[in-house]
Amino acid sequence: MTEIKPHASHWGYFDAVVENGRVTGVRPFGPDPFPGSLIEAVPDVVHAACRIDRPYIRRGWIEGRRRGHLRGGDPFVPVSWDEVTRILAEETARVRAEHGATSIFGGSYGWSSAGRYHHAKTQLQRFLGLGGGFTSSVNAYSYAAAQALIPHVLGTNEVLLGRVTDWQAIARHARLMLCFGGLAAKNGLVASGGQGRHEYMPLIRQAAAAGVRFINVSPFRGDTEAEIGAEWIPIRPGTDAALLLAMAHVLVAEEREDRGFLATHCTGWERLRAYILGESDGQAKTPDWAAPITGIPNATIRRLALDCAAQPTMLTAAWSLQRADYGEQPYWMLVALAAMLGTIGKPGQGVAFGYGSIGGMGVPRRELPAVSSPGIRNPAGLTIPVARVTELLERPGEVLEFNGQRITLPDIRMIWWAGGNPFHHHQDLPRLQRAWARAETVVVQEPWWTALARQADIVLPATTTLERNDIASSNRDRFVRAMHQAVPPQGLARNDTDMLADLADALGYRDRFTEQRDEGAWLRHLYGQWRVACGRLGFEAPEFERFWAEGHVEAPPVAPGEEYTQFAGFRADPEGEPLNTPSGKVELFSETIASFGYDDCPGHPVWREPREWLGAPAAARFPLHLLSFQPATRLHGQLDPGRVSSAGKIEGREPIHLSPEDAAARGLKEGDIVRIFNGRGACLGGVRIKEGMLPGVAAMATGAWYDPLIPGNPDALCVHGNPNVLTADIGTSRLGQGPSAQSCLVQVERWEGALPPVTVHRPPPVVPA
């Protein structure tokens, strides 16, 4: 018997084809004009060999090898749900009683599920919050530096995350779009909460057809699709702030800055101008100064600046740009350049971030909320920047500076993770693994034996989205999707909500956790709240029963010509509609940031030489600048065991992209297996030679599951190709404390030995109780 079940994922809506209790195929969502290929991997991962079939406990933990013990190499012991619930409830109560609520780190950073009810992070943090509190994290790996900076400068993170100037306005009014980091098509296929219609590439094509000229400033020509005909300006990684400062110098020298806008809508211009001209530090930021730093000829820099001043221009940067040493600086300077051009708030112009980083950015839409589960107040009230997990574990009792705060780091005794994978997201994995050993107990809720699950003490098998009912929703998409359970839970897997409800019961607060609702009641409740909120905004959504039967709701599209430009009200009336900054204006110099006294992020945008870049002394030993990017074949580490990800690998290893020149200099050809290494670690990869790659630059996708040759040994070679064994774990600055993964130097050499097997897609050793 064949059944068709409506469903959703972060990589798109689809129908699951089910035969005899197994997912055997998928069909794209009918209204989607541009469905991606990632949905094809869904059957593989639901029924993967690396599914966790029951609860397990690490043998070393049972035997008392806890704090100070390196994880990842021990076998696991199977246990029953009743036993693991009792043990875990006792351990949670003990840790909280002996060490306090802040000794529990509820990490849980990740994309877990497009479903808004069975969202692992929300459910776990609700459980920990109701139980007395925990240490949490703020901001996101993807854009942490900008998330801290931009509210100081523009008063909102909407320009980074929310409703930015849409493509209809850009197509109609802009004639030039200057794109730092390009507009990668693959990133438009993914969005948190899913998408009913992948409109990213069709909208870019329409803008190009309308006459918008695109310029891709990036080390890689392929960061824009060939069909839009973008001009490529190759740039040394990490030097974008220098280029922008030099462009600003051209505008001042040619008297092309919009002095009226700078006077009425900005504050701090004179301080920044003095720096650009070298009056404050003795170094004018001319094109001649920037050319040897960026690798871009001074004539090109001058032309870029004047082109932007001569025509309606939209400025944008990918999120990846700020995941680097001093990553706040190019973002701040891009805002400053838009202010100098006087385009902020002009129709289809100005500045916005993330068009090439995630689906839904710039898609014309109405202001409607997303379906969401209720959060809970964390009574412990302690948060750290998300990318400082290793420091949290390494430095108990010490102070971490972050965005004007001085955070005393707690002594973490228990780590509890659900719906994410720090052994994918985090940098310098060998260092993280050593810090991980400081915890007494690590709990992981996970469907698969990922690298994180292998680093756990107590492993709770979670269902995939196909094994439960839910609702997918995103405020960047006008569809809401019913996610029908397609197959029974595999093995003894349980959904996160039910396993946590039983733990809450053992600890005495089940009713507060569940609010006495089961799955069906919660879905009706959350949908009902969303329906009421939509009604207040003029959209009458159908009743739940109709929505569930039909499989989706579609809000009315934006009418043709109903375009949106961000900051239009502020531009028209800066006094009546001020920005949410201390001055109410664009802060080109921030008194607030200056008051923090950070030498790595002063009061206005500056050029700071990165710690690792092609101009650093270390480049003599490690002469390739490694960029790590989001893969086209999976979402972060999700779907890695599936057919789409497997097909993109070379002899089972993650590809490393090299220019023809760099491959030839090392005697390498397409498909060769190489060792990529630096002073932090080493991994294997397969050579993929890329035309349009700046010589001296290499690139590798993140997300290949970390697979050390010797499990449990942080110094071991990763045989699978996870670039985060190579990246530095250093905060972008004390302001943002974001990840600086894009500042990474490596060397590459041919692998001459026997090729070790990739074992991470199989379960780890299991021993009897």
Side-chain angles (χ1 to χ4, degrees):
M1 177 181 174
T2 300
E3 297 178 276
I4 306 299
K5 299 287 188 176
H7 214 72
S9 66
H10 296 303
W11 45 91
Y13 295 173
F14 62 92
D15 291 327
V17 180
V18 181
E19 299 178 14
N20 301 317
R22 289 182 66 88
V23 180
T24 59
V26 293
R27 299 175 183 173
F29 184 54
D32 194 344
F34 199 75
S37 63
L38 294 184
I39 58 173
E40 297 169 11
V42 168
D44 306 328
V45 296
V46 172
H47 304 292
C50 56
R51 283 295 301 269
I52 303 171
D53 61 340
R54 61 179 303 148
Y56 288 92
I57 300 178
R58 180 174 65 85
R59 185 172 67 182
W61 190 87
I62 294 171
E63 295 171 351
R65 295 193 299 276
R66 300 184 183 182
R67 198 167 215 202
H69 185 79
L70 285 167
R71 295 167 172 86
D74 289 355
F76 287 87
V77 176
V79 293
S80 69
W81 271 110
D82 286 346
E83 185 177 8
V84 80
T85 300
R86 175 185 59 78
I87 290 171
L88 187 47
E90 291 173 356
E91 179 67 359
T92 304
R94 180 195 71 80
V95 170
R96 199 171 256 131
E98 292 181 5
H99 304 290
T102 59
S103 69
I104 301 175
F105 181 50
S108 305
Y109 176 88
W111 283 64
S112 61
S113 168
R116 300 295 86 181
Y117 171 58
H118 289 295
H119 185 255
K121 175 182 177 180
T122 301
Q123 295 293 351
L124 175 60
Q125 295 194 345
R126 179 179 175 82
F127 165 78
L128 292 174
L130 288 169
F134 60 103
T135 294
S136 184
S137 61
V138 294
N139 296 348
Y141 279 89
S142 294
Y143 39 74
Q147 212 168 355
L149 169 74
I150 294 298
H152 291 293
V153 179
L154 288 170
T156 178
N157 268 324
E158 286 289 296
V159 70
L160 175 71
L161 305 172
R163 192 181 182 194
V164 295
T165 297
D166 65 36
W167 285 103
Q168 284 188 171
I170 293 169
R172 183 177 176 189
H173 300 285
R175 296 281 67 91
L176 174 65
M177 190 164 184
L178 183 59
C179 308
F180 284 79
L183 295 168
K186 62 181 175 58
N187 296 338
L189 295 173
V190 171
S192 180
Q195 297 175 88
R197 291 176 58 88
H198 289 97
E199 299 181 276
Y200 174 69
M201 280 310 300
L203 286 166
I204 292 179
R205 293 182 188 125
Q206 290 171 23
V212 177
R213 172 187 163 212
F214 291 91
I215 298 178
N216 171 27
V217 182
S218 169
F220 182 41
R221 184 194 296 274
D223 277 337
T224 52
E225 296 301 293
E227 63 196 273
I228 68 171
E231 177 187 354
W232 178 42
I233 297 180
I235 185 172
R236 277 181 164 183
T239 67
D240 305 87
L243 170 60
L244 289 161
L245 284 161
M247 292 174 66
H249 191 283
V250 172
L251 295 181
V252 174
E254 296 290 327
E255 299 184 351
R256 300 297 298 272
E257 74 273 30
D258 188 330
R259 295 176 184 175
F261 187 86
L262 291 167
T264 57
H265 290 72
C266 304
T267 186
W269 165 237
E270 290 305 319
R271 301 283 290 271
L272 178 57
R273 182 180 185 275
Y275 177 75
I276 291 167
L277 296 179
E279 296 169 356
S280 58
D281 68 346
Q283 175 61 68
K285 313 308 180 295
T286 64
D288 285 342
W289 164 81
I293 295 172
T294 62
I296 300 173
N298 55 6
T300 302
I301 297 173
R302 178 179 171 80
R303 174 178 61 83
L304 264 182
L306 295 178
D307 280 358
C308 289
Q311 56 200 307
T313 299
M314 169 58 80
L315 304 177
T316 188
W319 288 344
S320 59
L321 211 70
Q322 48 84 68
R323 294 196 296 269
D325 289 342
Y326 315 116
E328 296 84 0
Q329 303 311 315
Y331 265 45
W332 201 348
M333 195 57 218
L334 197 69
V335 173
L337 187 66
M340 293 176 68
L341 294 169
T343 53
I344 295 174
K346 278 189 175 181
Q349 302 171 62
V351 63
F353 305 96
Y355 286 112
S357 300
I358 196 168
M361 294 293 280
V363 173
R365 62 181 172 89
R366 298 186 182 281
E367 279 296 285
L368 292 176
V371 178
S372 61
S373 288
I376 193 74
R377 186 183 70 86
N378 178 7
L382 180 61
T383 60
I384 64 157
V386 68
R388 302 274 59 81
V389 173
T390 298
E391 289 180 58
L392 169 70
L393 300 173
E394 288 177 337
R395 298 171 48 195
E398 296 185 32
V399 171
L400 178 72
E401 293 185 274
F402 167 55
N403 201 8
Q405 305 172 52
R406 291 176 55 83
I407 303 169
T408 301
L409 298 174
D411 187 2
I412 297 298
R413 301 300 181 111
M414 173 182 274
I415 300 169
W416 199 321
W417 220 282
N421 183 357
F423 283 85
H424 152 71
H425 267 109
H426 208 70
Q427 283 66 61
D428 197 346
L429 294 182
R431 180 182 165 198
L432 173 62
Q433 188 169 357
R434 291 184 181 93
W436 205 250
R438 287 191 53 83
E440 295 174 358
T441 302
V442 178
V443 186
V444 170
Q445 300 166 210
E446 179 62 71
W448 301 278
W449 282 110
T450 63
L452 172 65
R454 293 162 191 266
Q455 296 287 336
D457 298 316
I458 299 174
V459 181
L460 306 179
T463 52
T464 66
T465 65
L466 276 296
E467 297 154 57
R468 59 204 188 207
N469 296 300
D470 214 328
I471 299 172
S473 179
S474 167
N475 62 7
R476 295 195 184 105
D477 190 79
R478 69 173 188 269
F479 290 85
V480 173
R481 179 68 159 166
M483 299 171 66
H484 289 198
Q485 181 177 341
V487 294
Q490 303 297 287
L492 297 180
R494 303 181 71 198
N495 68 58
D496 301 276
T497 312
D498 287 349
M499 66 174 81
L500 292 170
D502 282 355
L503 281 163
D505 187 63
L507 291 165
Y509 58 94
R510 173 189 284 273
D511 284 353
R512 286 192 294 136
F513 177 74
T514 64
E515 296 186 14
Q516 302 183 53
R517 296 187 182 98
D518 61 10
E519 178 186 76
W522 267 113
L523 295 182
R524 284 173 170 78
H525 173 68
L526 299 179
Y527 181 87
Q529 288 186 317
W530 173 78
R531 185 169 178 266
V532 169
C534 287
R536 296 192 189 106
L537 295 170
F539 170 57
E540 295 300 324
E543 296 280 355
F544 178 84
E545 286 70 20
R546 179 181 161 195
F547 154 69
W548 196 253
E550 295 180 353
H552 71 268
V553 172
E554 179 181 3
V558 172
E562 191 180 336
E563 61 194 37
Y564 173 75
T565 293
Q566 197 169 29
F567 302 120
F570 164 69
R571 180 182 186 83
D573 184 4
E575 300 298 326
E577 295 194 36
L579 301 180
N580 189 29
T581 59
S583 64
K585 300 179 180 182
V586 180
E587 302 230 341
L588 304 181
F589 181 92
S590 167
E591 296 286 356
T592 301
I593 293 176
S595 73
F596 299 156
Y598 299 153
D599 58 358
D600 53 7
C601 190
H604 59 69
V606 295
W607 161 248
R608 287 285 187 268
E609 185 174 315
R611 303 173 188 95
E612 289 192 34
W613 69 302
L614 291 173
R621 184 180 177 196
F622 302 114
L624 291 173
H625 192 129
L626 179 69
L627 299 175
S628 44
F629 60 90
Q630 293 305 321
T633 58
R634 56 185 174 264
L635 171 57
H636 297 292
Q638 292 186 59
L639 306 175
D640 193 45
R643 69 190 72 176
V644 180
S645 182
S646 297
K649 294 179 183 178
I650 298 171
E651 295 196 56
R653 324 293 149 161
E654 194 62 30
I656 180 168
H657 299 170
L658 298 174
S659 71
E661 296 89 339
D662 288 323
R666 292 161 177 77
L668 301 172
K669 64 181 186 303
E670 181 86 8
D672 282 349
I673 301 301
V674 293
R675 174 176 171 261
I676 308 110
F677 64 96
N678 60 18
R680 288 178 288 271
C683 67
L684 297 183
V687 172
R688 189 155 286 159
I689 297 174
K690 285 285 187 179
E691 298 287 345
M693 178 76 76
L694 180 69
V697 177
M700 240 179 144
T702 61
W705 289 4
Y706 174 51
D707 193 6
L709 182 61
I710 305 170
N713 183 347
D715 296 317
L717 172 79
C718 175
V719 303
H720 195 195
N722 188 316
N724 274 331
V725 302
L726 305 162
T727 53
D729 186 8
I730 300 174
T732 52
S733 77
R734 286 177 286 171
L735 181 82
Q737 290 288 8
S740 52
Q742 306 294 18
S743 298
C744 178
L745 295 175
V746 301
Q747 179 57 291
V748 172
E749 63 183 15
R750 186 190 307 276
W751 176 258
E752 300 290 359
L755 197 56
V758 174
T759 61
V760 73
H761 293 152
R762 301 197 299 265
V766 172
V767 295

